[in-house]
Amino acid sequence: MVTGLGEAKHLAKDSELPDPPKQDVLRVYGMKFSPFTHRLKLVLAAKGVEHETVNINLVSKPSWYLSKNHRGEVPVIEINGNIIRDSIVTSQYVDDAYTGDKLTTTDPMKKAKESVLLLDNEKTIRGFIEAAYHTPDKQARGLMIMKEGLEKIDDFLKSTGSYFICGDKPGLTDYMIWPHLERIRALWPICITQFLFVEAYSRRMLRDSVVKQCQLPNSMHRKFAADCRKKKVNYDMVEEIEES
Protein backbone atom coordinates (compact mmCIF):
# COMPACT_ATOMS: atom_id res chain seq x y z
CA MET A 1 0.00 0.00 0.00
CA VAL A 2 1.50 3.32 -1.04
CA THR A 3 1.18 6.38 1.14
CA GLY A 4 -0.77 9.44 0.03
CA LEU A 5 -4.46 10.12 0.33
CA GLY A 6 -5.51 6.96 -1.51
CA GLU A 7 -8.63 6.19 -3.53
CA ALA A 8 -10.51 3.81 -1.21
CA LYS A 9 -14.31 4.08 -1.55
CA HIS A 10 -16.13 5.70 1.36
CA LEU A 11 -18.21 3.24 3.35
CA ALA A 12 -21.72 4.39 4.25
CA LYS A 13 -24.55 3.49 6.59
CA ASP A 14 -25.38 -0.01 5.35
CA SER A 15 -21.80 -1.20 4.85
CA GLU A 16 -20.51 -4.24 6.72
CA LEU A 17 -17.78 -4.10 9.32
CA PRO A 18 -14.46 -4.85 7.59
CA ASP A 19 -12.31 -7.69 8.88
CA PRO A 20 -9.69 -6.42 11.34
CA PRO A 21 -6.28 -5.57 9.90
CA LYS A 22 -3.69 -8.33 9.92
CA GLN A 23 -1.01 -8.50 12.60
CA ASP A 24 1.22 -5.40 12.62
CA VAL A 25 -0.70 -3.80 9.73
CA LEU A 26 -1.64 -0.19 10.38
CA ARG A 27 -5.15 0.75 9.25
CA VAL A 28 -6.35 4.33 8.84
CA TYR A 29 -10.04 5.16 9.04
CA GLY A 30 -10.34 8.48 7.28
CA MET A 31 -12.04 10.60 4.67
CA LYS A 32 -10.32 11.65 1.48
CA PHE A 33 -11.19 15.36 1.73
CA SER A 34 -10.74 15.74 5.49
CA PRO A 35 -7.90 18.11 6.44
CA PHE A 36 -7.55 16.14 9.68
CA THR A 37 -7.05 12.85 7.83
CA HIS A 38 -4.68 14.79 5.57
CA ARG A 39 -2.53 15.61 8.61
CA LEU A 40 -2.03 11.93 9.42
CA LYS A 41 -1.45 11.00 5.78
CA LEU A 42 1.34 13.58 5.51
CA VAL A 43 3.09 12.07 8.53
CA LEU A 44 2.67 8.54 7.17
CA ALA A 45 4.17 9.66 3.87
CA ALA A 46 7.04 11.48 5.57
CA LYS A 47 7.86 8.37 7.61
CA GLY A 48 7.35 6.00 4.66
CA VAL A 49 4.86 3.89 6.63
CA GLU A 50 2.88 1.36 4.62
CA HIS A 51 -0.76 1.19 5.70
CA GLU A 52 -4.26 0.38 4.54
CA THR A 53 -7.13 2.85 4.34
CA VAL A 54 -10.82 2.49 5.12
CA ASN A 55 -12.64 5.68 4.16
CA ILE A 56 -15.83 6.71 5.95
CA ASN A 57 -18.83 8.61 4.58
CA LEU A 58 -19.21 11.22 7.32
CA VAL A 59 -22.77 12.18 6.34
CA SER A 60 -24.02 8.60 6.36
CA LYS A 61 -21.66 6.82 8.75
CA PRO A 62 -21.70 3.03 9.15
CA SER A 63 -23.19 2.16 12.53
CA TRP A 64 -20.16 0.01 13.36
CA TYR A 65 -17.83 3.00 13.02
CA LEU A 66 -19.00 4.39 16.37
CA SER A 67 -17.28 1.40 18.00
CA LYS A 68 -14.01 2.73 16.54
CA ASN A 69 -14.68 6.35 17.55
CA HIS A 70 -17.77 7.20 19.57
CA ARG A 71 -17.60 10.76 18.21
CA GLY A 72 -17.80 9.51 14.63
CA GLU A 73 -14.80 11.62 13.62
CA VAL A 74 -11.75 10.88 11.48
CA PRO A 75 -8.96 9.96 11.52
CA VAL A 76 -8.68 6.81 13.60
CA ILE A 77 -5.88 4.27 13.45
CA GLU A 78 -6.16 0.60 14.31
CA ILE A 79 -3.25 -1.75 14.85
CA ASN A 80 -3.10 -5.10 16.67
CA GLY A 81 -6.47 -4.50 18.31
CA ASN A 82 -5.57 -1.01 19.52
CA ILE A 83 -7.60 2.04 18.49
CA ILE A 84 -6.22 5.60 18.57
CA ARG A 85 -8.16 8.69 17.48
CA ASP A 86 -7.45 12.41 16.89
CA SER A 87 -5.27 13.76 14.09
CA ILE A 88 -2.50 15.11 16.33
CA VAL A 89 -2.42 12.10 18.66
CA THR A 90 -2.34 9.57 15.80
CA SER A 91 0.33 11.57 13.98
CA GLN A 92 2.49 11.74 17.10
CA TYR A 93 2.06 8.00 17.60
CA VAL A 94 3.26 7.30 14.06
CA ASP A 95 6.30 9.53 14.53
CA ASP A 96 7.16 7.79 17.82
CA ALA A 97 6.41 4.22 16.76
CA TYR A 98 8.08 4.00 13.35
CA THR A 99 11.63 4.40 12.15
CA GLY A 100 12.73 7.14 9.77
CA ASP A 101 13.42 10.82 10.24
CA LYS A 102 12.09 12.16 13.52
CA LEU A 103 9.47 14.82 12.76
CA THR A 104 8.82 16.11 16.27
CA THR A 105 10.87 19.09 17.43
CA THR A 106 13.17 18.03 20.28
CA ASP A 107 14.24 21.40 21.73
CA PRO A 108 11.83 21.90 24.68
CA MET A 109 11.34 25.66 24.26
CA LYS A 110 10.86 25.51 20.50
CA LYS A 111 8.50 22.56 20.89
CA ALA A 112 6.46 24.54 23.43
CA LYS A 113 6.24 27.52 21.09
CA GLU A 114 5.06 25.24 18.27
CA SER A 115 2.40 23.85 20.61
CA VAL A 116 1.19 27.38 21.32
CA LEU A 117 1.08 28.04 17.56
CA LEU A 118 -1.11 24.97 17.12
CA LEU A 119 -3.46 26.37 19.73
CA ASP A 120 -3.54 29.72 17.90
CA ASN A 121 -4.13 27.84 14.65
CA GLU A 122 -7.52 26.74 15.97
CA LYS A 123 -8.73 30.16 14.82
CA THR A 124 -7.56 29.41 11.30
CA ILE A 125 -9.42 26.11 11.37
CA ARG A 126 -12.59 27.50 12.94
CA GLY A 127 -12.73 30.40 10.50
CA PHE A 128 -12.06 28.14 7.52
CA ILE A 129 -14.87 25.75 8.46
CA GLU A 130 -17.32 28.61 8.90
CA ALA A 131 -16.35 30.29 5.63
CA ALA A 132 -15.98 27.19 3.46
CA TYR A 133 -18.75 24.85 4.50
CA HIS A 134 -21.59 27.02 5.78
CA THR A 135 -24.05 29.50 4.28
CA PRO A 136 -22.70 32.62 2.50
CA ASP A 137 -23.94 34.94 5.24
CA LYS A 138 -21.38 33.35 7.59
CA GLN A 139 -18.47 33.64 5.16
CA ALA A 140 -17.39 37.18 6.06
CA ARG A 141 -17.19 36.34 9.76
CA GLY A 142 -15.36 33.09 9.01
CA LEU A 143 -12.79 34.84 6.83
CA MET A 144 -12.15 37.41 9.56
CA ILE A 145 -11.51 34.70 12.17
CA MET A 146 -9.37 32.74 9.71
CA LYS A 147 -7.17 35.76 9.01
CA GLU A 148 -6.54 36.19 12.74
CA GLY A 149 -5.12 32.67 12.76
CA LEU A 150 -3.04 33.28 9.64
CA GLU A 151 -1.59 36.39 11.25
CA LYS A 152 -0.32 34.23 14.15
CA ILE A 153 1.43 31.91 11.68
CA ASP A 154 2.90 34.92 9.87
CA ASP A 155 4.20 36.39 13.15
CA PHE A 156 5.73 33.04 14.14
CA LEU A 157 7.58 32.65 10.84
CA LYS A 158 8.76 36.26 10.96
CA SER A 159 10.08 35.88 14.52
CA THR A 160 11.99 32.65 13.88
CA GLY A 161 13.34 33.54 10.44
CA SER A 162 13.31 29.84 9.51
CA TYR A 163 12.12 28.38 6.22
CA PHE A 164 9.59 26.14 7.96
CA ILE A 165 7.82 26.14 11.31
CA CYS A 166 10.02 23.28 12.52
CA GLY A 167 13.26 24.69 11.12
CA ASP A 168 15.18 24.02 7.92
CA LYS A 169 12.77 21.32 6.73
CA PRO A 170 9.11 20.48 7.40
CA GLY A 171 8.35 18.65 10.63
CA LEU A 172 5.33 17.47 12.56
CA THR A 173 3.93 20.94 13.28
CA ASP A 174 4.25 21.92 9.61
CA TYR A 175 2.26 18.86 8.62
CA MET A 176 -0.40 19.66 11.24
CA ILE A 177 -0.88 23.19 9.90
CA TRP A 178 -0.46 22.61 6.16
CA PRO A 179 -3.77 20.86 5.24
CA HIS A 180 -5.89 23.92 6.01
CA LEU A 181 -3.39 26.23 4.29
CA GLU A 182 -3.65 24.08 1.17
CA ARG A 183 -7.43 24.49 1.20
CA ILE A 184 -7.26 28.22 1.89
CA ARG A 185 -4.92 28.62 -1.09
CA ALA A 186 -7.48 26.80 -3.23
CA LEU A 187 -10.55 28.75 -2.09
CA TRP A 188 -9.20 32.20 -1.20
CA PRO A 189 -5.60 32.59 -2.43
CA ILE A 190 -5.69 36.30 -1.58
CA CYS A 191 -5.92 35.36 2.10
CA ILE A 192 -2.50 33.74 1.75
CA THR A 193 -0.82 36.35 -0.44
CA GLN A 194 -1.66 39.22 1.94
CA PHE A 195 0.63 37.65 4.55
CA LEU A 196 4.22 37.94 3.31
CA PHE A 197 5.78 35.18 5.43
CA VAL A 198 2.83 32.78 5.08
CA GLU A 199 2.94 33.21 1.30
CA ALA A 200 6.67 32.45 1.11
CA TYR A 201 6.20 29.53 3.49
CA SER A 202 3.35 28.04 1.49
CA ARG A 203 5.39 28.20 -1.71
CA ARG A 204 8.19 26.28 -0.01
CA MET A 205 5.73 23.73 1.35
CA LEU A 206 4.30 23.16 -2.13
CA ARG A 207 7.77 22.06 -3.26
CA ASP A 208 8.05 19.49 -0.47
CA SER A 209 7.90 15.92 -1.82
CA VAL A 210 5.62 14.77 1.01
CA VAL A 211 3.15 17.60 0.38
CA LYS A 212 3.15 16.75 -3.33
CA GLN A 213 2.48 13.10 -2.55
CA CYS A 214 -0.64 13.95 -0.51
CA GLN A 215 -1.94 16.90 -2.50
CA LEU A 216 -5.39 17.29 -4.07
CA PRO A 217 -6.00 19.64 -7.01
CA ASN A 218 -7.40 23.06 -6.13
CA SER A 219 -10.47 22.35 -8.24
CA MET A 220 -11.36 19.34 -6.08
CA HIS A 221 -11.05 21.39 -2.90
CA ARG A 222 -13.33 24.04 -4.40
CA LYS A 223 -15.88 21.49 -5.57
CA PHE A 224 -15.94 19.70 -2.23
CA ALA A 225 -16.54 22.97 -0.37
CA ALA A 226 -19.31 23.96 -2.79
CA ASP A 227 -20.95 20.54 -2.46
CA CYS A 228 -20.81 20.80 1.35
CA ARG A 229 -22.64 24.12 1.21
CA LYS A 230 -25.31 22.50 -0.98
CA LYS A 231 -25.35 19.43 1.30
CA LYS A 232 -24.78 17.16 -1.70
CA VAL A 233 -21.34 15.71 -1.20
CA ASN A 234 -19.85 13.02 -3.42
CA TYR A 235 -17.03 11.65 -1.31
CA ASP A 236 -15.84 9.44 -4.14
CA MET A 237 -15.60 12.14 -6.80
CA VAL A 238 -12.62 12.12 -9.10
CA GLU A 239 -10.87 15.04 -10.74
CA GLU A 240 -12.69 16.19 -13.86
CA ILE A 241 -11.73 19.85 -14.04
CA GLU A 242 -8.44 21.10 -15.44
CA GLU A 243 -6.42 23.23 -13.11
CA SER A 244 -6.60 26.95 -13.69
Side-chain angles (χ1 to χ4, degrees), residues 46 58 74 78 81 93-94 205 223:
L58 297 181
V74 292
E78 181 176 4
Y93 167 80
V94 168
M205 285 294 286
K223 187 174 189 312

Side-chain angles (χ1 to χ4, degrees), residues 73-139:
E73 299 169 347
V74 292
V76 166
I77 60 175
E78 181 176 4
I79 182 166
N80 297 338
N82 296 297
I83 300 288
I84 307 173
R85 61 179 173 86
D86 182 82
S87 59
I88 294 178
V89 176
T90 55
S91 296
Q92 186 67 68
Y93 167 80
V94 168
D95 191 33
D96 291 340
Y98 291 89
T99 58
D101 291 343
K102 192 69 174 174
L103 301 177
T104 306
T105 296
T106 55
D107 178 80
M109 181 56 70
K110 191 170 188 309
K111 184 178 180 180
K113 289 181 178 180
E114 289 177 21
S115 296
V116 172
L117 181 63
L118 283 176
L119 292 175
D120 289 335
N121 191 55
E122 291 298 319
K123 278 195 171 183
T124 311
I125 296 171
R126 181 159 54 90
F128 171 81
I129 291 171
E130 193 165 322
Y133 301 142
H134 294 287
T135 54
D137 60 298
K138 293 185 177 181
Q139 188 175 97

Side-chain angles (χ1 to χ4, degrees), residues 54-192:
V54 174
N55 278 331
I56 302 298
N57 182 322
L58 297 181
V59 172
S60 177
K61 301 181 187 75
S63 58
W64 54 259
Y65 186 60
L66 296 179
S67 68
K68 308 294 182 183
N69 184 353
H70 67 279
R71 295 182 178 181
E73 299 169 347
V74 292
V76 166
I77 60 175
E78 181 176 4
I79 182 166
N80 297 338
N82 296 297
I83 300 288
I84 307 173
R85 61 179 173 86
D86 182 82
S87 59
I88 294 178
V89 176
T90 55
S91 296
Q92 186 67 68
Y93 167 80
V94 168
D95 191 33
D96 291 340
Y98 291 89
T99 58
D101 291 343
K102 192 69 174 174
L103 301 177
T104 306
T105 296
T106 55
D107 178 80
M109 181 56 70
K110 191 170 188 309
K111 184 178 180 180
K113 289 181 178 180
E114 289 177 21
S115 296
V116 172
L117 181 63
L118 283 176
L119 292 175
D120 289 335
N121 191 55
E122 291 298 319
K123 278 195 171 183
T124 311
I125 296 171
R126 181 159 54 90
F128 171 81
I129 291 171
E130 193 165 322
Y133 301 142
H134 294 287
T135 54
D137 60 298
K138 293 185 177 181
Q139 188 175 97
R141 170 183 150 83
L143 289 173
M144 181 181 68
I145 295 170
M146 185 177 74
K147 288 177 183 178
E148 291 175 6
L150 291 173
E151 186 174 15
K152 294 293 186 181
I153 301 172
D154 201 67
D155 289 344
F156 183 94
L157 291 165
K158 182 179 180 180
S159 67
T160 62
S162 58
Y163 286 140
F164 301 98
I165 291 167
C166 293
D168 293 334
K169 61 182 181 179
L172 190 75
T173 306
D174 294 281
Y175 293 137
M176 296 303 97
I177 285 178
W178 175 251
H180 285 91
L181 292 188
E182 179 176 304
R183 287 155 177 78
I184 293 167
R185 281 188 67 95
L187 274 67
W188 307 285
I190 192 172
C191 291
I192 298 291

